[in-house]
Amino acid sequence: MPPEHLLRRAAREILPGQIVNLGIGLPTQLMAYLAPDADVLIHSENGVLGCGPQATAAEADPRLIDAGGAYIRTRTGASFFDSAVSFAIVRRGRLDLSVMGAFEVDALGNLANWKIPGRFSPGIGGAMELAQKTPRVLVLCTHNDKAGRSKVRRRCTLPLTAERCVSRIITDKAVLDVTAEGLVLREIAAGLTVEALRRDTEAELLIDREPEEF
Amino acid sequence: MDKYREKAAAIARIGDGATIMVGGFGSPGTPFGLLAELERQGQRDLTIIKNDANEAGIGVSRLIEAGQVRRLITSHIGLNKRVVALMNSGELAVDFHPQGILAEKIRCAGAGCLAFLSDIGLHSEITDPGDVIEWRGRPAKVEAALTADFALLHAERADSVGNLCYRATARNFSPLMAMAADCVIVEAAGQVPAGSIDPDQVHTPGAFVDAVTDADLSDPAYGLMEGRYAP
């Protein structure tokens, strides 16, 4: 189960007027946290701008899915297009925000989320183009993997999706900004101390003011 | 001009060793009927170009599981554990491309061009340094156009001259593949006389289409899949 406070916090990153791609997995779940009348257009790389929430069996159209394979509804103002146009939107920089998952993300803003050599290599999908070409990339992931290993690293060890592409990282434990100096702690999960967060984080954390709770 | 053909005869044009583009992103747009006929006829040593491998037991996955496919050129196969296992065991060769680059390589061939320049993944492990050139003072990756002997496509409507309309997310790679392949075989449940599709609403003009066959949408492959909708 994804921590609900993480999704609720991340949904606040999506601002009125924005065009946003939500990656498969945790980011797609943000859809449920957007107001039904929110002034945003959600892009799905399989050819939709203006995705709505998941459809019920009664509403579902077998020809209308999101990139993760879920049946969806569309919202007012939606459009359909082919895959070349869909990625023209991405590579031309017409998205405002991409929300992506991560296996690892590091203090330089490098992102690794497409391959774990020897264990997981299902292909690239849209990840490289989204990470490399979206003006603002938000990483949304659990702070530590199932073995407790920090996903927030000094340097990524896995093959990169894109270099120096991440602006902000939101985990179940912290909100971090990637800056020229390194990772700056902006917010911390309620009930967690900075000392405990540092123990759970491989990367160095910079603090320029008291972090807010979320 | 009449492009309506029997499905079996259209698919019989495909020989062993052919390279085949297959439309569809997941299930929408996948020509399940044409793929079932290809499975029945049993052509082998095929190279398949498709965004994904469908899911285990359906679509192109059936051809792969039956051993008819030697190579898969694709973007992402994460929803198909059986095909991932065949890749890992070395029984299936798989080439991965970033999704929009795959689309653009196909579009590029369809526009009659040889290649284009891109900066996607330039410094990543997917780039062969031999493909990187300097273009007007900056490094760029040469992405070769991707063509095929055949394209198998699903359209929502097709008329007798081969004009096509797709629906919703069933469009995806199909208009691009229609342009890029030498022989384009389409299935459509809605076969309509020429003149019944508004010229302004045509997604693929008939010039790109060689054969239009009938699709039987009562096949459950075209229906809703369990567990993909909201409760």
Side-chain angles (χ1 to χ4, degrees):
Chain A
M1 281 296 282
E4 197 183 307
H5 73 284
L6 156 65
L7 293 168
R8 215 173 27 241
R9 174 61 190 83
R12 283 167 37 205
E13 298 287 316
I14 299 173
L15 304 175
Q18 285 191 326
I19 296 179
V20 181
N21 183 284
L22 301 177
I24 295 172
L26 209 49
T28 309
Q29 297 182 37
L30 287 180
M31 187 62 89
Y33 292 79
L34 295 179
D37 59 349
D39 179 26
V40 295
L41 285 173
I42 303 297
H43 172 265
S44 189
E45 53 268 40
N46 58 327
V48 192
L49 194 56
C51 297
Q54 202 172 6
T56 63
E59 297 164 334
D61 173 347
R63 307 288 173 267
L64 179 51
I65 61 172
D66 65 14
Y71 299 108
I72 56 167
R73 302 189 320 221
T74 53
R75 292 174 45 153
T76 306
S79 55
F80 299 129
F81 32 81
D82 68 51
S83 297
V85 170
S86 186
F87 279 90
I89 291 171
V90 175
R91 293 195 306 272
R92 190 66 185 84
R94 287 290 178 171
L95 298 179
D96 297 297
L97 174 70
S98 278
V99 187
M100 308 182 79
F103 299 142
E104 291 179 341
V105 56
D106 73 22
L108 294 175
N110 295 323
L111 173 65
N113 72 356
W114 77 279
K115 182 175 185 179
I116 303 175
R119 276 212 295 138
F120 178 88
S121 56
I124 303 145
M128 281 190 182
E129 291 155 278
L130 288 161
Q132 191 174 329
K133 294 293 187 179
T134 310
R136 184 171 170 81
V137 173
L138 171 70
V139 161
L140 187 59
C141 64
T142 56
H143 201 88
N144 302 88
D145 68 16
K146 283 176 187 142
R149 184 176 180 272
S150 172
K151 294 185 182 179
V152 182
R153 318 287 302 176
R154 290 168 199 274
R155 291 293 179 273
C156 290
T157 61
L158 296 168
L160 295 185
T161 307
E163 297 171 3
R164 297 178 183 270
C165 60
V166 177
S167 298
R168 175 166 275 196
I169 304 162
I170 300 185
T171 74
D172 51 320
K173 294 177 180 169
V175 177
L176 306 166
D177 277 339
V178 180
T179 72
E181 287 71 42
L183 296 176
V184 176
L185 177 63
R186 299 294 187 204
E187 299 174 37
I188 189 165
L192 193 65
T193 65
V194 170
E195 291 67 36
L197 178 66
R198 285 199 155 121
R199 276 197 300 275
D200 289 342
T201 309
E202 197 254 2
E204 188 184 348
L205 299 180
L206 307 175
I207 299 179
D208 55 7
R209 57 182 154 75
E210 189 67 20
E212 293 173 34
E213 285 197 346
F214 75 101
Chain B
M1 205 174 289
D2 179 4
K3 294 186 176 167
Y4 293 151
R5 297 288 182 274
E6 286 300 319
K7 183 163 57 184
I11 293 298
R13 296 175 65 168
I14 301 174
D16 290 347
T19 296
I20 308 172
M21 291 176 173
V22 179
F25 188 120
S27 286
T30 301
F32 290 108
L34 295 174
L35 294 170
E37 180 60 24
L38 189 57
E39 182 187 1
R40 193 187 68 80
Q41 293 188 14
Q43 286 89 334
R44 306 190 68 81
D45 292 326
L46 302 173
T47 294
I48 297 288
I49 303 171
K50 188 184 187 294
N51 174 64
D52 53 83
N54 287 117
E55 294 177 40
I58 63 168
V60 292
S61 189
R62 293 182 62 86
L63 300 179
I64 295 168
E65 292 168 40
Q68 290 173 260
V69 181
R70 187 169 46 85
R71 177 173 293 274
L72 176 67
I73 300 173
T74 188
S75 168
H76 197 279
I77 57 173
L79 289 179
N80 193 326
K81 287 197 172 75
R82 267 185 233 167
V83 170
V84 168
L86 288 169
M87 171 180 75
N88 289 341
S89 69
E91 289 164 80
L92 176 72
V94 181
D95 297 340
F96 288 116
H97 298 285
Q99 196 167 94
I101 296 299
L102 179 63
E104 197 63 19
K105 287 164 87 75
I106 296 168
R107 196 201 66 81
C108 184
C113 298
L114 304 181
F116 64 96
L117 300 181
S118 156
D119 64 353
I120 297 298
L122 198 57
H123 306 295
S124 79
E125 66 168 54
I126 66 164
T127 294
D128 176 349
D131 289 334
V132 177
I133 64 165
E134 190 178 297
W135 176 254
R136 295 186 175 174
R138 59 184 287 200
K141 181 179 180 184
V142 178
E143 293 284 2
L146 194 54
T147 186
D149 303 313
F150 294 90
L152 304 183
L153 308 176
H154 177 90
E156 185 70 10
R157 287 197 297 159
D159 70 17
S160 56
V161 300
N163 291 316
L164 308 180
C165 282
Y166 311 97
R167 185 153 67 87
T169 60
R171 190 181 323 184
N172 56 71
F173 282 72
S174 296
L176 315 168
M177 291 174 167
M179 293 159 63
D182 294 338
C183 178
V184 175
I185 302 170
V186 176
E187 60 163 43
Q191 291 186 359
V192 294
S196 43
I197 302 177
D198 177 348
D200 250 347
Q201 305 304 319
V202 172
H203 295 136
T204 293
F208 289 115
V209 174
D210 295 283
V212 175
T213 69
D214 192 32
D216 175 12
L217 296 192
S218 67
D219 182 330
Y222 296 102
L224 291 178
M225 295 172 83
E226 291 290 330
R228 306 297 168 83
Y229 32 79

